[in-house]
Amino acid sequence: IIKLNNMYTENNVIKTMIAMEKVFQSCAEDAEKFVEGNNSAGTRVRKAMQQIKNMAQDVRVEVQRQKNTVTA
């Protein structure tokens, strides 16, 4: 669980990472169901992982944008 000083929670990188964590935690139960043989739960896990992947790309882009803003 990401715990941060309130000062950082306004940053888009942090906001996106917190959202990623929520998506990850929300699919943990489905991951367990998949391991127990529920293929539909596996589909939900894959969907959540795709969402996390897209959010991770957003973090990468935002970090680069912020770096460029500081150095410009």
Side-chain angles (χ1 to χ4, degrees):
I1 296 174
I2 298 174
K3 294 183 181 181
L4 300 165
N5 184 326
N6 285 340
M7 169 174 112
Y8 299 116
T9 58
E10 296 302 314
N11 186 289
N12 287 334
V13 171
I14 301 302
K15 286 180 181 179
T16 304
M17 291 181 69
I18 290 170
M20 287 170 63
E21 180 180 27
K22 288 178 182 177
V23 172
F24 187 81
Q25 289 178 349
S26 71
C27 78
E29 185 177 331
D30 280 328
E32 290 177 17
K33 288 179 182 178
F34 172 71
V35 170
E36 293 169 357
N38 183 333
N39 287 336
S40 296
T43 301
R44 292 189 295 272
V45 170
R46 291 183 71 237
K47 182 179 177 183
M49 292 298 108
Q50 184 64 43
Q51 185 178 359
I52 291 170
K53 176 184 172 188
N54 293 339
M55 295 169 92
Q57 181 62 33
D58 292 343
V59 168
R60 289 174 47 89
V61 169
E62 181 62 18
V63 166
Q64 189 63 48
R65 187 193 69 75
Q66 288 184 24
K67 281 176 52 179
N68 290 342
T69 301
V70 171
T71 59

